[in-house]
Amino acid sequence: DAMVIQNPRYQVTQFGKPVTLSCSQTLNHNVMYWYQQKSSQAPKLLFHYYDKDFNNEADTPDNFQSRRPNTSFCFLDIRSPGLGDAAMYLCATSRAVLETQYFGPGTRLLVL
Amino acid sequence: QQPVQSPQAVILREGEDAVINCSSSKALYSVHWYRQKHGEAPVFLMILLKGGEQKGHDKISASFNEKKQQSSLYLTASQLSYSGTYFCGTELGSGGSNYKLTFGKGTLLTVNP
């Protein structure tokens, strides 16, 4: 009955090698979010989609891109991962703004 | 504007109570509380909206003091399963499509037998 699914759960990539993380949802929610969480830190919002409307945080590096081809799927592309990009990446969804966010299990990214 | 959580960490014995605070220097529209266990995704606990309210389920409740721009999470008769990091997420302004939740640094709660 998984509602927010992230693949893969663990991703190892090399320095500078592009990587794509995926998120899918069965909740038919309008809003999808991507967060970056480093060890012992709070989740940090990278960007979010409200339907097809993309909202990028001002401090999100250009190295991070996102795509939402349809309601169910959202992708996080890291064009040239650096060592500092190693983190847990969390996808979340909500039906509308100001409502509960449902998180996926996360993808742990390791950059070698 | 990141909210400030206190305390940073707390250790309890099973059955004891705890209070976790979340404060903002700016006017809040809503406060969201999540619990995250190590290596897992955050799990939603509750949302409190401006206007001042209290909510609760089981032995976990929360309040939102709009005047102080502060929310408090109350855990009573703690259980081992309450262990984890508690995050508050705050939303400034009045919502709209450009909604953003900013999380505090978290409070690590450890409940021992």
Side-chain angles (χ1 to χ4, degrees), chain A residues 29-33 92-102:
Chain A
H29 282 173
N30 293 314
V31 193
M32 295 187 77
Y33 309 83
T93 74
S94 64
R95 186 176 59 177
V97 295
L98 298 179
E99 295 196 12
T100 303
Q101 292 187 26
Y102 294 86

Side-chain angles (χ1 to χ4, degrees), chain B residues 101-113:
Chain B
L101 197 64
T102 304
F103 286 96
K105 291 186 176 181
T107 295
L108 177 61
L109 179 77
T110 303
V111 181
N112 292 321

Side-chain angles (χ1 to χ4, degrees), chain B residues 30-73:
Chain B
S30 66
V31 179
H32 300 224
W33 285 98
Y34 288 81
R35 176 172 61 210
Q36 185 177 31
K37 293 185 182 285
H38 183 70
E40 299 180 10
V43 173
F44 170 76
L45 294 176
M46 60 191 80
I47 294 177
L48 299 105
L49 302 179
K50 75 173 183 178
E53 59 175 338
Q54 284 192 309
K55 279 190 176 180
H57 61 88
D58 286 338
K59 296 174 183 175
I60 300 176
S61 61
S63 62
F64 182 11
N65 187 321
E66 192 176 352
K67 285 186 178 179
K68 292 184 178 180
Q69 302 306 325
Q70 177 177 303
S71 178
S72 297
L73 186 71

Side-chain angles (χ1 to χ4, degrees), chain A residues 37 40-43, chain B residues 1-10 19-25 31-36 45 69-73 75 84-90 102-109:
Chain A
Q37 186 178 29
S40 301
Q41 296 184 20
Chain B
Q1 192 78 17
Q2 187 175 41
V4 177
Q5 286 187 236
S6 63
Q8 289 185 331
V10 59
V19 179
I20 300 171
N21 297 306
C22 174
S23 299
S24 172
S25 59
V31 179
H32 300 224
W33 285 98
Y34 288 81
R35 176 172 61 210
Q36 185 177 31
L45 294 176
Q69 302 306 325
Q70 177 177 303
S71 178
S72 297
L73 186 71
L75 301 105
T85 299
Y86 288 78
F87 291 101
C88 69
T90 56
T102 304
F103 286 96
K105 291 186 176 181
T107 295
L108 177 61
L109 179 77

